[in-house]
Amino acid sequence: GGASALAVRNPIPSVASHQCSMLYGKDYFRFWRKVQITDGCWMWTAAICANGYGCFQLGGRNRYAHILAWEDFFGEVPTGLCVLHRCDVRPCVCPDHLWLGTIIDNNRDCREKGRLAVGTQNGRHTIDEETVRLIRQLHSEGWPKCAIARRLNLRRCHVRHVIIRRLWKHVL
């Protein structure tokens, strides 16, 4: 087992270290009581959202636990940035495992670690690999994009994105 987060951190938050934090007073203690510290990740032990991230109710709304942990240690997350995990453990709230990045950074990180659903693994796909190959074959045979789109009941922009490999770039 690991230590409680409150045993590791100063249990009395100073005004200077928490001026940007949403966690103070009872909420501070209520939050950190729900964290189990180990040698690696600091695991969120309370509610988990459907997407696997820790969830904490604050001010009448649910907030992600890793974002609140970041804010508690480092201050407010700047507009346009996200709190990302180095460890890829969604319930982890360890500040050493968290970093700020853009949505592009997050998608790149997911892709590099093989966690980005592509093709038919993506739940929002509307075509499959066979259709992608057909689109590209028809285009190479000189079919206009609008004719391909009509034949396959797709939007022309979707066909264009498949042809220029903006979509389905993993399919040869």
Side-chain angles (χ1 to χ4, degrees), residues 5 9 25 37 46 50 57 63 77 89 98 100 123 128 132 138 140 170:
R9 296 206 13 132
I37 293 182
Q57 186 149 74
R63 298 278 315 272
V77 176
V89 177
L98 304 174
L100 291 179
D128 57 19
V132 169
L138 293 173
S140 71
H170 67 286

Side-chain angles (χ1 to χ4, degrees), residues 4 6 9-13 23-35 56:
S4 154
L6 287 174
R9 296 206 13 132
N10 178 357
I12 308 297
L23 296 173
Y24 50 89
K26 289 188 293 189
D27 290 330
Y28 173 85
F29 292 102
R30 195 167 58 86
F31 180 88
W32 288 109
R33 269 198 310 263
K34 300 173 188 302
V35 176
F56 183 74

Side-chain angles (χ1 to χ4, degrees), residues 100-114:
L100 291 179
T102 64
I103 291 173
I104 292 170
D105 293 330
N106 193 32
N107 287 335
R108 182 184 313 114
D109 186 52
C110 287
R111 191 171 43 257
E112 288 171 358
K113 294 174 179 173

Side-chain angles (χ1 to χ4, degrees), residues 24-149:
Y24 50 89
K26 289 188 293 189
D27 290 330
Y28 173 85
F29 292 102
R30 195 167 58 86
F31 180 88
W32 288 109
R33 269 198 310 263
K34 300 173 188 302
V35 176
Q36 185 70 34
I37 293 182
T38 67
D39 290 338
C41 294
W42 294 10
M43 298 304 293
W44 182 253
T45 62
I48 301 292
C49 298
N51 59 10
Y53 292 99
C55 226
F56 183 74
Q57 186 149 74
L58 184 65
R61 62 184 258 246
N62 283 329
R63 298 278 315 272
Y64 287 130
H66 69 288
I67 295 173
L68 288 171
W70 171 274
E71 290 176 343
D72 192 46
F73 274 79
F74 305 111
E76 192 173 355
V77 176
T79 302
L81 295 181
C82 311
V83 178
L84 312 174
H85 284 88
R86 283 187 180 87
C87 60
D88 294 329
V89 177
R90 290 182 176 190
C92 177
V93 298
C94 178
D96 292 339
H97 295 189
L98 304 174
W99 59 287
L100 291 179
T102 64
I103 291 173
I104 292 170
D105 293 330
N106 193 32
N107 287 335
R108 182 184 313 114
D109 186 52
C110 287
R111 191 171 43 257
E112 288 171 358
K113 294 174 179 173
R115 289 184 288 107
L116 196 62
V118 295
T120 54
Q121 295 172 345
N122 181 325
R124 295 179 8 190
H125 75 280
T126 56
I127 60 175
D128 57 19
E129 283 88 350
E130 185 180 337
T131 306
V132 169
R133 288 186 188 93
L134 178 60
I135 290 168
R136 292 180 181 149
Q137 177 188 340
L138 293 173
H139 181 258
S140 71
E141 293 172 2
W143 282 55
K145 290 185 254 326
C146 58
I148 298 170

